[in-house]
Amino acid sequence: MGVTFKEKPVTLAGKQVKVGDQAPDFKVLANDMSEVTLADSKGSVRLISAVPSVDTGVCDAQTRRFNEEASKLDNVKILTVSVDLPFAQKRWCAAAGVENVQTLSDHRDLSFGQAYGVAIEELRLLARAVFVVDSSDKVTYVEYVDEVTTHPNYEAAIEAAKAAN
């Protein structure tokens, strides 16, 4: 599968996940610098939104959209992962009024990016992707967005999160 960034092909490091896979674990940082793993949200459905940076237009819109949808979803945690520093994510959330999405930083060692096959080697950013992981850690939905600067299919991801248990 080819992914582009501003129409130029990029190399994604790590193994891409597929529907039916056991969701790989990862270790990222919360806004308070504490470590967060997939196991920390076990028992809930997780909609994981990977973005290059919350400080860009599409990423900002994507995170805001999932923040709006979060209040309508029962037992679904929405995680937004980027390589932004935790401090920048915290500032962005405060400025944007985002309270229903947990922003997580993969800047330290690209643990999430490698585990989910979204680490862009050339840029040390994450490619845009959306994953739904059910309460037993099975992947039920995957979208790797072909062109990193475009939006994901929000409706399909939200419907997948509603259908997962």
Side-chain angles (χ1 to χ4, degrees), residues 48-67:
I48 305 172
S49 171
V51 299
S53 173
V54 293
D55 278 322
T56 62
V58 176
C59 301
D60 177 289
Q62 180 173 334
T63 306
R64 287 175 190 262
R65 172 72 186 271
F66 285 135
N67 181 64

Side-chain angles (χ1 to χ4, degrees), residues 63-128:
T63 306
R64 287 175 190 262
R65 172 72 186 271
F66 285 135
N67 181 64
E68 285 173 30
E69 298 291 341
S71 61
K72 304 174 200 165
L73 300 171
D74 291 333
N75 197 37
V76 176
K77 293 195 182 309
I78 299 183
L79 312 175
T80 293
V81 185
S82 73
V83 295
D84 294 303
L85 293 173
F87 319 111
Q89 291 178 338
K90 185 175 184 175
R91 176 201 45 77
W92 181 88
C93 287
V98 168
E99 297 173 352
N100 301 322
V101 168
Q102 183 178 15
T103 53
L104 300 167
S105 175
D106 200 21
H107 87 93
R108 189 171 55 188
D109 56 15
L110 294 176
S111 170
F112 175 84
Q114 295 282 345
Y116 285 73
V118 293
I120 300 174
E121 287 184 5
E122 294 86 348
L123 303 171
R124 202 176 193 288
L125 295 172
L126 300 183
R128 188 173 316 283

